[in-house]
Amino acid sequence: MELFSNKLTTRIGTWNVRTLYQSGKCAQVANEMDRYKIEILGLSEIRWNTSGMTHLNTGFLPLQTTIERVPKRDLLVLIVDQSAKVGPERKGWEREIGPHGIGKMNENGELCADFCATNNLSIGGTLFKHKNCHKVTWCHAGNAKNHIDHISTSQRWRSSLQDVRAKRGTDAASDHNLVIGSIKMKLLAQKKSVVKRRKFNIGKLKLPNIREEFQISLQNRFSAISDLDIRGE
């Protein structure tokens, strides 16, 4: 089964679930995956082994090393909780950040934008025009709303990313919203080489002088071929 194709839309997601170290939490997440028909879901802060999270300024190098092993022609999708506010200000990052970000860029947002520029990635959630309620991914105490969970894709395959939006109705006891991206591959059509055939105006053979000239020319060619065969023997 192909994960990505030009016929079917594949849904991918990223979700900071705060923890999976609770009874029934895995089942809740699995139910939401089925509900939204998500094929791939990146989870953060699951807290199975260690608590907390890795910020870009400490986890940047291992991530860069991994990405450098990916062939340039492949579709690269980055689905992690980056805690990066990129906002709508994108001067110098026009290819990496779209015009529909919200909030104000923070330090991690700047690191994220530079990282995307280095690896030719675009931050999907900033590319599509939605209401702010479909962009907010984290509702902090005090009613602060932020756009910090992102799905980034290769700029080469940017047209294959059809949509990215946050889902507010997900149930996993987390203050982060599930973010879903839809991908349908768009492939460039290969141009078929056309062999041009020489066209002959056979209607001219109806003219006596043209027909006679053609017959003489044809006889001369066959005579030349016969002479070559005789010499070859």
Side-chain angles (χ1 to χ4, degrees):
M1 176 183 175
E2 290 183 340
L3 192 56
F4 298 106
S5 75
N6 61 343
K7 296 180 180 179
L8 300 175
T9 299
T10 301
R11 284 188 159 193
I12 60 176
T14 180
W15 200 2
N16 185 328
V17 294
R18 304 299 286 177
T19 181
L20 285 181
Y21 200 64
Q22 290 178 353
S23 177
K25 195 67 174 286
C26 284
Q28 286 181 311
V29 173
N31 288 337
E32 295 297 345
M33 285 188 69
D34 289 339
R35 176 186 173 192
Y36 288 103
K37 297 179 174 59
I38 299 173
E39 298 288 343
I40 303 172
L41 179 61
L43 300 176
S44 57
E45 289 201 57
I46 59 176
R47 302 180 190 274
W48 276 347
N49 296 321
T50 58
S51 60
M53 59 187 296
T54 302
H55 295 279
L56 277 177
N57 53 2
T58 58
F60 185 84
L61 184 58
L63 190 58
Q64 181 64 46
T65 303
T66 300
I67 287 180
E68 287 175 354
R69 294 199 294 265
V70 179
K72 298 297 183 183
R73 66 180 180 276
D74 287 2
L75 168 63
L76 177 62
V77 181
L78 188 64
I79 45 175
V80 294
D81 174 11
Q82 299 167 328
S83 295
K85 300 178 185 179
V86 293
E89 181 58 46
R90 59 195 188 110
K91 186 176 181 180
W93 294 295
E94 289 83 358
R95 289 173 57 84
E96 293 73 36
I97 302 174
H100 303 297
I102 60 174
K104 185 177 181 180
M105 180 177 283
N106 62 2
E107 183 179 354
N108 265 12
E110 188 173 343
L111 286 170
C112 177
D114 287 340
F115 178 76
C116 288
T118 300
N119 296 284
N120 297 316
L121 298 171
S122 294
I123 302 173
T126 66
L127 301 177
F128 302 96
K129 186 177 181 179
H130 292 306
K131 294 180 180 179
N132 283 352
C133 61
H134 293 144
K135 297 179 184 179
V136 172
T137 66
W138 180 40
C139 298
H140 188 47
N143 205 32
K145 298 179 179 179
N146 298 284
H147 183 198
I148 61 173
D149 304 285
H150 304 290
I151 295 176
S152 303
T153 60
S154 308
Q155 292 174 5
R156 180 179 181 180
W157 296 97
R158 180 169 168 171
S159 61
S160 297
L161 184 64
Q162 296 186 323
D163 189 34
V164 175
R165 68 171 64 200
K167 297 293 184 179
R168 295 179 296 167
T170 48
D171 179 21
S174 173
D175 54 359
H176 286 252
N177 293 329
L178 169 65
V179 180
I180 298 178
S182 301
I183 295 178
K184 186 176 183 180
M185 303 299 290
K186 290 187 177 181
L187 306 176
L188 292 176
Q190 293 184 346
K191 295 182 179 179
K192 295 182 179 180
S193 57
V194 179
V195 179
K196 293 184 178 180
R197 295 184 178 181
R198 185 179 177 184
K199 294 182 179 180
F200 297 94
N201 188 357
I202 60 176
K204 289 184 177 181
L205 293 176
K206 295 179 180 180
L207 301 175
N209 59 330
I210 298 295
R211 183 169 60 250
E212 183 179 357
E213 183 180 339
F214 175 74
Q215 289 174 342
I216 294 172
S217 176
L218 199 61
Q219 288 174 357
N220 291 337
R221 290 190 181 185
F222 277 112
S223 297
I225 294 174
S226 299
D227 291 342
L228 289 174
D229 290 340
I230 294 172
R231 292 175 185 176
E233 294 176 355

